[in-house]
Amino acid sequence: MNPDFFSDTVVVGAGIAGAALGAHLARRGLEVTLLESEERPGYHSTGRSAAFWLESYGGAAVSPLTAASRAFLEQPPANFSPHGFLSPRGAIHVARDSVEQPFADIPPGVATERLDPARLKSLVPGLRDGWSRGLAEPSCRDIDVAGLHQAYLSSLTRMGGKMLTSAELAEASYKGGRWAIRLRDGREGEATQLVNAAGAWADEVAKRCGIEPLGFVPKRRTMMQLRVDRQGMKGLPLVADTEGRFYFRGEGEQTIWLSPHDETDCDPCDAAPEELAVAEAIDRLGTIVDWKVEKVERKWAGLRTFSPDRNPVFGRDPGQPAFFWYAGQGGTGIQSQPAAAALARAIFMDDEPTGVAGGLSTRAFLPERFF
């Protein structure tokens, strides 16, 4: 019986990671099919991003990927998008007076500027006493997440790639040089190589393919939009606590986006905000600024998935080279995606990293480090 679909490479997951790597592989001449379990791509983590580019975010291994992605995001090739995906925002790292060495975790090479107390208060109106130390990161930008994701999907289809939605992988087995794939709805397919870009479901997908899981942990992140009793919020920079207890940024003239910076372990799921996390976020906001919260206009949650060492995993499984890991980007997958996908493509094709990934090292990302 003929399979319902066949490709050189099947990519499980059509969020920003699967879409980007799939587009790169299709551009290299491979026949690519994305399998998306939801009715539309980007429903989970990609569609619930806080939508900022912050070079210092994600740690020392990820920061070079983010930095290398900036030029592409600002001015992508004309055949990819007629416009860029970044717009000005700026960030401020703030610390309580009692915290010692508050900015020690900022990766070296990130351009920053110390702020004296007066300057800090002018940039964060209503700042309470006890928060006199600030570090500006002017390069922080907002990202057009939906536009970037759609551009990758469009690039994929222009190069002959395909996407199947409502296409949850039920199981896959490898024999005779091919993957035999069965979807939850009964459809069947074949592929010579399988890419696991399933985000929070990465370990589950591995188990369904007979591959040893790596120990990925999905973590819930809560976000909310608040209306406050102060005007002029739209241009407010991203303000992040160096202790990892909150971050917020302007959204509208009287609204902000706020997160308690939570990382709550959970099973892969359609994440929903918990009332306790919302209340904690509002309480923490009140410790730094004197604004009154007039209304919680909306709230949501997404999943950020980490490997055991919190660095992304790009590379072939040591026990099954026809299975390629592309997961664990831990909330940095959008801001670092141009370089990350280019680097993963080089690993997949056994090439030297070039273009936006030129000069980047693969060492920190290969799955061999867990074996």
Side-chain angles (χ1 to χ4, degrees):
M1 185 171 61
N2 292 329
D4 296 295
F5 59 93
F6 174 80
S7 288
D8 296 324
T9 303
V10 161
V11 179
V12 182
I16 193 74
L21 182 53
H24 272 281
L25 297 178
R27 198 173 300 126
R28 287 300 184 95
L30 296 181
E31 185 181 28
V32 178
T33 298
L34 302 187
L35 300 182
E36 172 54 53
S37 62
E38 302 293 346
E39 294 182 357
R40 66 179 190 273
Y43 176 74
H44 292 286
S45 297
T46 299
R48 308 180 196 193
S49 166
F52 56 75
W53 182 95
L54 185 66
E55 187 178 352
S56 62
Y57 186 57
V62 172
S63 183
L65 297 177
T66 302
S69 297
R70 179 177 178 177
F72 182 97
L73 291 169
E74 287 183 330
Q75 190 171 355
N79 62 356
F80 182 80
S81 173
H83 54 76
F85 302 99
L86 301 182
S87 54
R89 171 64 61 181
I92 299 173
H93 304 273
V94 294
R96 293 182 296 176
D97 296 350
S98 58
V99 177
E100 296 182 5
Q101 298 183 324
F103 309 118
D105 291 338
I106 303 294
V110 177
T112 58
E113 174 191 351
R114 291 274 182 169
L115 299 173
D116 62 43
R119 178 64 174 152
L120 179 60
K121 284 195 171 187
S122 71
L123 294 171
V124 187
L127 188 67
R128 293 190 185 277
D129 293 339
W131 296 85
S132 65
R133 290 186 288 180
L135 189 73
E137 189 174 338
S139 63
C140 177
R141 297 288 187 268
D142 289 343
I143 303 179
D144 177 5
V145 176
L148 179 63
H149 187 209
Q150 186 56 53
Y152 276 123
L153 292 173
S154 297
S155 178
L156 171 82
T157 56
R158 285 197 304 272
M159 300 306 297
K162 300 176 183 177
M163 178 174 64
L164 303 179
T165 56
S166 300
E168 181 183 354
L169 184 143
E171 62 178 357
S173 59
Y174 189 80
K175 55 186 175 182
R178 288 186 178 183
W179 287 100
I181 300 167
R182 183 175 64 83
L183 304 186
R184 190 70 68 188
D185 61 8
R187 285 178 289 176
E188 296 182 344
E190 293 182 357
T192 54
Q193 304 189 84
L194 193 148
V195 175
N196 183 358
W201 285 263
D203 270 354
E204 180 61 31
V205 164
K207 289 187 283 187
R208 294 177 189 180
C209 297
I211 303 296
E212 186 73 19
L214 295 184
F216 288 103
V217 180
K219 296 177 182 285
R220 185 178 62 248
R221 170 61 52 86
T222 306
M223 296 291 300
M224 64 209 72
Q225 180 171 304
L226 307 177
R227 188 176 71 213
V228 298
D229 65 341
R230 183 179 287 268
Q231 299 288 334
M233 293 287 99
K234 189 174 180 64
L236 186 74
L238 174 70
V239 179
D241 170 29
T242 59
E243 297 176 81
R245 298 170 61 249
F246 59 78
Y247 58 82
F248 57 87
R249 69 166 176 83
E251 175 62 15
E253 282 304 306
Q254 207 174 337
T255 57
I256 64 168
W257 278 15
L258 169 68
S259 172
H261 208 278
D262 49 337
E263 290 187 357
T264 306
D265 292 2
C266 63
D267 293 329
C269 63
D270 185 358
E274 294 190 347
E275 291 303 321
L276 179 59
V278 174
E280 286 181 343
I282 294 173
D283 182 66
R284 292 173 186 179
L285 179 69
T287 68
I288 182 173
V289 291
D290 62 6
W291 313 335
K292 178 182 177 183
V293 175
E294 296 183 338
K295 184 179 181 181
V296 178
E297 295 191 334
R298 62 189 183 103
K299 52 192 174 182
W300 65 99
L303 298 179
R304 306 162 77 252
T305 301
F306 294 90
S307 73
D309 66 3
R310 293 182 68 91
N311 287 338
V313 183
F314 311 153
R316 298 186 181 279
D317 187 84
Q320 173 49 273
F323 185 93
F324 191 92
W325 294 93
Y326 190 53
Q329 297 182 4
T332 63
I334 295 169
Q335 66 173 27
S336 66
Q337 197 54 228
L343 189 64
R345 177 207 65 211
I347 298 170
F348 189 94
M349 305 293 293
D350 196 23
D351 290 337
E352 285 295 318
T354 58
V356 68
L360 293 175
S361 172
T362 64
R363 187 177 301 112
F365 309 114
L366 298 174
E368 284 87 344
R369 67 190 191 269
F370 299 120
F371 291 83

